[in-house]
Amino acid sequence: MRSTESALRGLMIDGLNGDASAHSALLSLLVPILRGFFRRRMRDDESDIEDLVQETLIAVHTRRATYDRDRPFTAWMFAIARYKLIDHFRRAHRLQPIDELEETLPAADEEASVMAQLDVDRLLAELPPKQARMIRATKLEGLSVAEAADAGGIGESDVKVSVHRGLKALMGRVRGEA
């Protein structure tokens, strides 16, 4: 399963509704995301990173009742990860250079990424399914036209037309024309 906002949010909500396997799957999917988050912000050894991943997973699990189902899941999860990182720096009595503080504390890049993904998902949901699938495959997942055609079971020219028409429709919606 891909670790998209909608997939992670769905697993979280299913877990909150009592589906233990969905909750377990969610925690498993979070491990590589959290490792990347902490690696980008720390120069410590891997054991500190793994400790922070585990602490964050425990916090996600124990504080899951505080998650607001109407809000993006990853923003909530990254907020917990940031607090765990701050706690780690405090425990280690480490000073963080002020130049890097902007990257470490607000983590605006993750939040902006989540919000952008939500906007893209919302816009693509307004398109016919084939157009949305082909835009997702070629523009977001990086597949070639031939690869997208094979994956979708359609011809290459159909992929090109679907992408062209879909992008044209999206541009019209963004400009407020449709």
Side-chain angles (χ1 to χ4, degrees):
M1 174 179 269
R2 290 183 31 211
S3 299
T4 63
E5 168 65 27
S6 59
L8 294 173
R9 185 173 175 272
L11 288 171
M12 180 65 170
I13 290 171
D14 290 347
L16 289 172
N17 291 334
D19 185 347
S21 63
H23 186 66
S24 177
L26 171 70
L27 295 177
S28 295
L29 288 172
L30 293 182
V31 171
I33 295 169
L34 291 169
R35 276 188 190 131
F37 176 85
F38 291 122
R39 269 195 195 108
R40 285 190 300 275
R41 287 159 179 76
M42 298 178 59
R43 293 180 188 91
D44 294 335
D45 61 71
E46 285 296 311
S47 66
D48 284 342
I49 291 171
E50 288 304 312
D51 289 347
L52 283 167
V53 168
Q54 293 305 311
E55 287 177 28
T56 305
L57 291 174
I58 290 168
V60 166
H61 173 73
T62 58
R63 295 187 183 112
R64 65 186 181 272
T66 66
Y67 173 65
D68 179 355
R69 296 170 187 236
D70 297 326
R71 308 273 310 193
F73 169 75
T74 51
W76 178 79
M77 185 262 311
F78 283 126
I80 292 172
R82 280 192 308 278
Y83 288 122
K84 292 299 174 187
L85 184 62
I86 292 166
D87 289 345
H88 170 76
F89 288 144
R90 283 185 186 140
R91 280 191 310 268
H93 301 290
R94 259 190 33 207
L95 298 176
Q96 181 73 12
I98 193 92
D99 297 337
E100 296 176 12
L101 192 61
E102 184 177 305
E103 294 173 16
T104 303
L105 298 179
D109 54 337
E110 280 86 7
E111 292 170 22
S113 174
V114 167
M115 298 311 289
Q117 183 63 47
L118 292 173
D119 289 342
V120 168
D121 289 345
R122 183 182 46 80
L123 284 169
L124 289 178
E126 297 175 7
L127 293 176
K130 183 170 69 170
Q131 290 178 2
R133 273 194 327 272
M134 293 304 110
I135 289 173
R136 209 177 279 289
T138 58
K139 302 299 182 186
L140 301 177
E141 296 172 7
L143 297 179
S144 68
V145 171
E147 292 168 332
D150 287 342
I154 60 176
E156 290 183 30
S157 61
D158 199 4
V159 171
K160 291 177 186 176
V161 169
S162 294
V163 169
H164 174 73
R165 288 181 181 165
L167 290 175
K168 186 175 178 181
L170 288 176
M171 188 64 105
R173 284 190 177 93
V174 168
R175 290 181 178 161
E177 298 170 2

